[in-house]
Amino acid sequence: LPICRVVQLSLIGNFFNLALPGAVSGDLVKAIYIAREHPGRRGHALGSILFDRIVGVSGLVVISAAALLVGFGTLHRSGIFQAVEGFVLVSATVVLVFFSYLFFMPERHDPVRAALDWLQARFGRLSSLTHIYEGVRNYHRHRWISLQAILTSCLIHLLAATSCLLFTIALDPLEAERVSYLGLYALAPLGLLATAVPLAPAGIGTGHAAFGWLFLLLGSQAGANVFSLFVLYQLLWSALGGLVYLRYRSEIPAPTAQLASE
């Protein structure tokens, strides 16, 4: 896809993140659009969207784990905080194992691909899983591009956590002084991760609850308000994506119609 098309679909995906439950619902919309534009490579198209989401989640985990490691021994470690810390470090280990497997496991010795081939031979309808896995596995041959994507994801989520810090300072400078900045960088990505739960558009509700609870671990009651400001920021991008969608919907089939037909 040309870069302008990628930008258009990304903005449209942002719009549907707000219009549909969950903060990643736009991924499904992008997958439908890309699959329709490349009908012969739908599995690879879906695999690219899945890999994009994996890279995004990995960026969240890396930023949170890095903040915990830098602040190790200095952060207030209650029992609950230690449980959160354990979850983050286990998640970081899973991310490391995944990318090590993807980049260094030779394709001809890939046990996951062998298992999918076995399932496909016995259950033909599972062939789509093989194609999606091939779409993800394709990045084995593009390690440098994948590394650039991971670093970009980390930068984006570092900026997102920084915006949460700035929102906290703007809401109450005195309370912000009592909040551990490293602790905020460790916990804010987890709050953003919780918004992926498809209960309400843009993660509203789940995000407020997650931020409220996580900020309490830092001794702050501003978590829900910080997320409200973050949602307002997202509204700007979503509105822009809505304009792009209205401009190109005659060219791109409506996702709801496509979902209904499938």
Side-chain angles (χ1 to χ4, degrees), residues 248-259:
Y248 289 98
R249 67 178 180 177
S250 60
E251 178 183 349
I252 305 175
T256 51
Q258 175 68 9
L259 285 172

Side-chain angles (χ1 to χ4, degrees), residues 90-141:
V90 169
S91 299
T93 302
V94 171
V95 168
L96 180 61
V97 169
F98 171 81
F99 284 104
S100 298
Y101 184 92
L102 177 65
F103 293 153
F104 301 114
M105 174 63 70
E107 294 188 57
R108 62 182 180 277
H109 299 308
D110 187 350
V112 174
R113 175 57 191 273
L116 288 173
D117 288 341
W118 182 85
L119 289 172
Q120 181 179 343
R122 286 157 178 77
F123 310 97
R125 293 184 179 181
L126 296 179
S127 60
S128 57
L129 293 179
T130 303
H131 296 316
I132 293 174
Y133 181 72
E134 288 176 349
V136 175
R137 183 65 179 170
N138 175 60
Y139 294 95
H140 170 80
R141 298 186 291 273

Side-chain angles (χ1 to χ4, degrees), residues 7-262:
V7 172
Q8 291 168 7
L9 293 179
S10 295
L11 290 173
I12 291 172
N14 287 339
F15 168 68
F16 279 99
N17 282 342
L18 184 70
L20 299 175
V24 296
S25 303
D27 288 350
L28 176 60
V29 176
K30 287 189 292 184
I32 291 172
Y33 289 161
I34 294 175
R36 286 186 66 89
E37 294 191 25
H38 298 275
R41 302 187 66 192
R42 290 188 175 184
H44 286 80
L46 294 174
S48 70
I49 296 295
L50 176 59
F51 187 72
D52 174 60
R53 181 49 51 193
I54 292 172
V55 168
V57 171
S58 298
L60 285 170
V61 171
V62 168
I63 294 302
S64 182
L68 286 173
L69 291 175
V70 171
F72 188 79
T74 63
L75 297 174
H76 174 66
R77 302 180 65 193
S78 63
I80 297 178
F81 194 95
Q82 289 180 1
V84 172
E85 183 179 62
F87 169 78
V88 171
L89 296 181
V90 169
S91 299
T93 302
V94 171
V95 168
L96 180 61
V97 169
F98 171 81
F99 284 104
S100 298
Y101 184 92
L102 177 65
F103 293 153
F104 301 114
M105 174 63 70
E107 294 188 57
R108 62 182 180 277
H109 299 308
D110 187 350
V112 174
R113 175 57 191 273
L116 288 173
D117 288 341
W118 182 85
L119 289 172
Q120 181 179 343
R122 286 157 178 77
F123 310 97
R125 293 184 179 181
L126 296 179
S127 60
S128 57
L129 293 179
T130 303
H131 296 316
I132 293 174
Y133 181 72
E134 288 176 349
V136 175
R137 183 65 179 170
N138 175 60
Y139 294 95
H140 170 80
R141 298 186 291 273
H142 302 283
R143 296 180 181 88
W144 175 235
I145 291 177
S146 301
L147 180 59
Q148 292 178 69
I150 295 169
L151 293 175
T152 302
S153 175
C154 291
L155 176 60
I156 290 171
H157 294 306
L158 181 63
L159 292 174
T162 300
S163 71
C164 292
L165 172 61
L166 295 176
F167 290 147
T168 304
I169 295 173
L171 287 170
D172 190 342
L174 294 179
E175 183 174 358
E177 292 179 358
R178 299 192 295 269
V179 173
S180 167
Y181 287 2
L182 280 175
L184 189 147
Y185 278 96
L187 298 183
L190 298 182
L192 295 176
L193 188 62
T195 63
V197 179
L199 296 180
I204 295 173
T206 53
H208 286 91
F211 268 75
W213 182 73
L214 291 169
F215 269 62
L216 284 177
L217 297 180
L218 300 174
S220 171
Q221 298 183 2
N225 292 330
V226 168
F227 184 72
S228 292
L229 293 175
F230 193 84
V231 169
L232 289 175
Y233 158 79
Q234 289 180 301
L235 282 173
L236 298 177
W237 285 109
S238 298
L240 180 60
L243 293 175
V244 174
Y245 173 67
L246 291 174
R247 170 66 179 79
Y248 289 98
R249 67 178 180 177
S250 60
E251 178 183 349
I252 305 175
T256 51
Q258 175 68 9
L259 285 172
S261 65
E262 295 185 356

